[in-house]
Amino acid sequence: MKKLIILSIALVAASVSFAQKDQGKTMSEKVAPPTIKFTCPMHPDVIRDHAGKCPKCGMNLVAKSPEIVYTCPMHSNVVSKQPGKCPVCGMNLVAKKNKPAVVKYTCPMHADVISDKPGKCPKCGMDLKEKKN
């Protein structure tokens, strides 16, 4: 009977210690919520930190969620779309924002004209088109 009582006390103590394991995380281990940016559906170059109207066309800005991936601090080849633990070392995966692809614009007639934003070609006045990567 003593063995059964000691075993049950040990089992309860072990389960309590495992249940409280994640509650003592430091601030650096917790994932901060991503910052939400707002953009115009018609003018993707318009990006704001708050909701409102597009300064170019007056449309309502819509929330643009950043793409977040999780990676191991020790094993950069371990990448996940969800938080969790590294399968190699067991460390918590940390959030890392994917950098959005850089969009370039070019003139259909003058390939040497390249811009970071849409507009007109300074040589011929044609609309710049999105450059395919």
Side-chain angles (χ1 to χ4, degrees):
M1 186 68 169
K2 284 184 181 179
K3 289 182 182 179
L4 184 60
I5 293 172
I6 293 172
L7 181 63
S8 61
I9 291 172
L11 187 61
V12 169
S15 64
V16 169
S17 68
F18 283 118
Q20 293 178 353
K21 184 178 180 181
D22 285 351
Q23 291 179 4
K25 287 185 177 180
T26 63
M27 197 59 145
S28 63
E29 292 173 319
K30 293 181 181 177
V31 178
T35 304
I36 297 175
K37 299 286 185 183
F38 294 85
T39 185
C40 175
M42 298 301 293
H43 302 99
D45 57 317
V46 174
I47 299 171
R48 301 285 187 261
D49 291 331
H50 52 80
K53 301 275 185 185
C54 174
K56 293 183 178 180
C57 67
M59 288 182 70
N60 288 328
L61 300 178
V62 294
K64 177 182 171 184
S65 61
E67 193 171 318
I68 297 176
V69 294
Y70 297 87
T71 184
C72 176
M74 299 300 291
H75 303 97
S76 59
N77 60 330
V78 174
V79 179
S80 174
K81 290 190 177 192
Q82 300 172 359
K85 300 225 180 252
C86 174
V88 179
C89 67
M91 289 182 72
N92 288 331
L93 300 178
V94 293
K96 178 179 164 186
K97 288 183 186 176
N98 274 348
K99 293 182 180 173
V102 177
V103 178
K104 296 287 183 179
Y105 298 88
T106 186
C107 175
M109 300 301 292
H110 302 99
D112 59 321
V113 175
I114 299 172
S115 175
D116 293 348
K117 46 190 157 190
K120 302 276 185 191
C121 174
K123 293 182 179 179
C124 67
M126 288 181 69
D127 287 335
L128 298 179
K129 301 291 180 187
E130 191 173 319
K131 186 176 179 182
K132 305 290 183 211
N133 291 339

